[in-house]
Amino acid sequence: MKKVYKAHILFTKEKDRFEVFENGFVAVEDGCVTGVSADLSALHCQGAEVVDFGDKLLIPAMNDMHVHAPQVHNQGMVMDLELLPWLLHYTFPEEAKFADVAYAERMYRRFIHTQWLFGTMRSTVFATVHTASTRLLMRLYQEAGMGALVGKVAMNRNCPDALCEDVEAAVAGNEQLIAEFNAQPSTLNVQCPPLVRPIITPRFVPSCTPELLQACGQLARKYQLPVQSHLSENTSEIAWVAELEPETECYGDAYNRYGLFGQTPTIMAHCVWSRGRELELMKRNDVMVAHCPTSNFNVASGMAPIRTFLDEGVRVGLGSDISGGHDLNMFRMMVYAIQVSKMQYQQNHDKAFLTLPEIFWIATKSAGSFFGKVGSFEPGYEFDALVIDDNVLHPSEYSLLHRLERFIYLGDDRQIVHRFCRGKEIAEPRENVEH
C-alpha cells in the first residue's frame, strides 16, 4: 500500500548541499520512495494514506559500515593500548566467549537494541569464528527487521587456539550460513536483496594464512558475496603484513592477490595510512573505506585522509568500530569525523575540513550505496528513515538546517521517535533474553 509521510524533509542528493522540503511530502510504496515534493498533488497519490509528523524532521536512517558486534561488552574499556596488544589481551579473550550461544544471545540482543536506539538501520558487522553464534546474530537482525551484512570471521594464525579455525572448517561454516541466508526471497520487492546476508570476513591479513585468504576469495567469487576486512590501520600492522606477504606491493595488494579487494563489493575499515600505490588500487577496484574516527584515536592509529579519498573519488562511509571505538551513535561519528578533519586542516590548509552536508552524505547516501539504493529520498531508494522530534533542542527561530545540525551535535535517542527500514516501521527490539 502506498503511504505519504509529511514532515520537514532533509537529505543529501549531492555531497555539497542538503535538499530541504519544509512541510514536504515523501511517497513510499513497496518499501521504496516513489517521489518527494513540497506539493502533495505533484506526487499523484490519490487515495494514499497520509501520515503527518507535524513539525518534526524526517531524515535518512543511519548506516554503520564497520562494527564488531561481539565487542559490545568491552565498549568504553581498555583505551590505553595500541591495536595489537589490545587485540591480544582483551578483544580475543572476549570473542572466545561466543562459543557459548547463550552468552552470545545476551550480548547480541544488547548490541542490536543499542543500534536501534540510535537509529542505525543498516550495518556491516563482524561476528566471530563461531558459526552457531553468527547464525544467531543474523536471525536476531531478521527478527528486528533491520538490515545487516554479517560476517563469520575467518582467522587461523596469530590468534588464540580458541579462535583458530582451519580452512576446511571456515569454508564449511560459511557455506552453511550462505545456504541459509543468501537465497531467501525479499518479502517486499523482488528487486531488493535480503535485508540480512552473509559477507566474507577475513579478519585481517596477519590472522589469515595464504590458504585461508585464497579460500575466502573463492567463496566471495563463487557466491558473489561482498567482502569486509581491515586495511592500513596501524603502522606496526602494516610492517607486519609486509613481513608476512613479502611479494606484495602494499597492504591492499595482499588482499587483491586473493580476490578480496574489489573483485566483489568490498569495504575496508580505517585506511589511515593508505597512500600511493594502495590508494590507486582502491580507486581502480572501487573499494569503499569505512572511516572510524573514534577507534583511530582510541587505539592511537592516526587520522584517515578522508578529504583525499573524496577528492580522488573513493567511496567513504562511517563506522563505529566498537570496541576500538567507544560509541555506537552514528550521529556522534559525524561530529568526530568533522573534528578530525579540522585537526588535519590545521596541519595542511590545502585540505579543507569536512562540512556538515559532506559528512551527512557520507553517513547516509555514500555509505548506503554499499547496500544498494539506500540513504536518500530520491525516487527508487529504499525508505530507511528517522523521524526526529527536536522540540526540546531548538528555539522556534532556528532554520531547519540549524535544527538538524543541533540535533547531530546535541541530540540523542530520546529525540528519535520513529524508525523505518525498507519502508517498515521498526519496533523496539527485545533487549533481554527470555527465560
Side-chain angles (χ1 to χ4, degrees):
M1 177 181 176
K2 182 174 285 190
K3 284 190 175 183
V4 177
Y5 298 99
K6 180 179 182 291
H8 302 310
I9 300 168
L10 302 97
F11 62 100
T12 43
K13 188 189 312 186
E14 308 292 341
K15 69 175 181 290
D16 57 349
R17 70 180 188 278
F18 281 97
E19 308 291 324
V20 180
F21 294 83
E22 185 173 3
N23 294 309
F25 302 87
V26 58
V28 178
E29 187 171 16
D30 292 333
C32 292
V33 175
T34 59
V36 60
S37 177
D39 180 5
L40 178 59
S41 64
L43 296 177
H44 306 292
C45 291
Q46 291 81 3
E49 178 185 357
V50 177
V51 180
D52 189 348
F53 291 125
D55 191 45
K56 299 177 180 64
L57 309 179
L58 179 64
I59 63 174
M62 293 295 102
N63 307 289
D64 191 340
M65 304 311 294
H66 181 69
V67 61
H68 292 263
Q71 294 177 23
V72 66
H73 189 60
N74 282 355
Q75 187 178 350
M77 294 169 47
V78 199
M79 296 287 98
D80 292 335
L81 296 176
E82 291 190 18
L83 172 65
L84 298 179
W86 174 82
L87 284 171
L88 180 63
H89 296 294
Y90 291 94
T91 302
F92 289 161
E94 175 61 22
E95 291 191 8
K97 297 177 184 177
F98 284 71
D100 179 353
V101 177
Y103 181 81
E105 183 171 3
R106 291 200 303 274
M107 295 300 109
Y108 283 155
R109 284 192 181 277
R110 178 196 302 178
F111 168 76
I112 289 175
H113 184 265
T114 306
Q115 285 197 309
W116 177 88
L117 282 175
F118 293 131
T120 299
M121 292 293 106
R122 308 266 181 154
S123 307
T124 53
V125 187
F126 278 62
T128 62
V129 300
H130 310 101
T131 302
S133 292
T134 303
R135 177 185 291 108
L136 170 69
L137 178 59
M138 299 176 82
R139 289 177 175 170
L140 291 176
Y141 269 115
Q142 287 181 327
E143 176 186 296
M146 294 155 58
L149 294 167
V150 178
K152 170 182 155 56
V153 172
M155 50 199 300
N156 69 341
R157 67 175 173 182
N158 297 316
C159 61
D161 290 344
L163 294 176
C164 189
E165 186 176 46
D166 64 40
V167 175
E168 292 76 14
V171 170
N174 268 288
E175 290 198 316
Q176 288 177 34
L177 297 173
I178 291 165
E180 183 172 348
F181 293 96
N182 199 40
Q184 60 187 3
S186 166
T187 59
L188 286 173
N189 189 326
V190 294
Q191 300 302 317
C192 296
L195 272 173
V196 182
R197 298 179 63 216
I199 183 170
I200 302 303
T201 306
R203 187 179 205 111
F204 66 156
V205 169
S207 72
C208 301
T209 62
E211 293 77 16
L212 183 56
L213 290 169
Q214 183 176 39
C216 286
Q218 290 171 344
L219 282 170
R221 287 192 301 276
K222 180 178 179 180
Y223 297 103
Q224 285 301 293
L225 286 172
V227 170
Q228 64 176 347
S229 196
H230 301 82
L231 179 67
S232 297
E233 179 177 1
N234 176 286
T235 53
S236 299
E237 169 203 14
I238 294 168
W240 195 9
V241 171
E243 293 176 6
L244 294 170
E245 295 281 341
E247 302 298 317
T248 59
E249 299 181 16
C250 59
Y251 193 163
D253 187 36
Y255 291 112
N256 191 52
R257 289 170 180 241
Y258 299 104
L260 295 165
F261 209 66
Q263 289 78 10
T264 61
T266 300
I267 187 162
M268 288 284 162
H270 307 300
C271 305
V272 172
W273 302 100
S274 296
R275 308 287 193 276
R277 162 70 174 149
E278 186 163 277
L279 179 56
E280 290 300 317
L281 191 57
M282 291 163 65
K283 288 168 55 179
R284 187 166 70 243
N285 291 13
D286 192 27
V287 171
M288 179 181 277
V289 173
H291 177 38
C292 308
T294 57
S295 175
N296 296 160
F297 275 179
N298 288 339
V299 297
S301 295
M303 297 183 288
I306 301 305
R307 172 59 64 194
T308 297
F309 293 153
L310 293 180
D311 290 347
E312 295 289 337
V314 174
R315 288 191 297 158
V316 181
L318 289 179
S320 66
D321 193 29
I322 67 159
S323 64
H326 59 273
D327 197 339
L328 274 168
N329 186 338
M330 299 309 297
F331 292 102
R332 294 285 188 269
M333 289 307 116
M334 290 191 224
V335 175
Y336 299 138
I338 289 173
Q339 291 172 335
V340 168
S341 74
K342 289 180 176 178
M343 295 179 68
Q344 292 171 311
Y345 173 72
Q346 290 303 318
Q347 298 173 352
N348 181 3
H349 280 53
D350 292 335
K351 296 291 185 181
F353 55 77
L354 296 172
T355 65
L356 188 69
E358 285 178 317
I359 200 61
F360 193 88
W361 176 84
I362 286 171
T364 56
K365 186 174 180 179
S366 179
S369 68
F370 200 73
F371 303 101
K373 299 187 78 171
V374 171
S376 180
F377 294 150
E378 298 163 65
Y381 273 71
E382 296 181 48
F383 187 67
D384 287 19
L386 306 176
V387 178
I388 310 299
D389 183 355
D390 64 330
N391 181 60
V392 298
L393 298 176
H394 76 88
S396 58
E397 70 271 16
Y398 277 18
S399 71
L400 293 179
L401 287 175
H402 285 154
R403 285 173 58 181
L404 176 59
E405 182 175 28
R406 192 173 177 87
F407 168 72
I408 290 170
Y409 275 82
L410 299 179
D412 58 39
D413 59 282
R414 292 172 295 179
Q415 284 82 57
I416 306 175
V417 293
H418 298 280
R419 301 154 177 86
F420 295 86
C421 183
R422 195 176 275 176
K424 178 184 177 182
E425 184 162 5
I426 304 303
E428 183 171 3
R430 182 161 55 87
E431 181 178 6
N432 299 315
V433 179
E434 293 182 350
H435 296 286

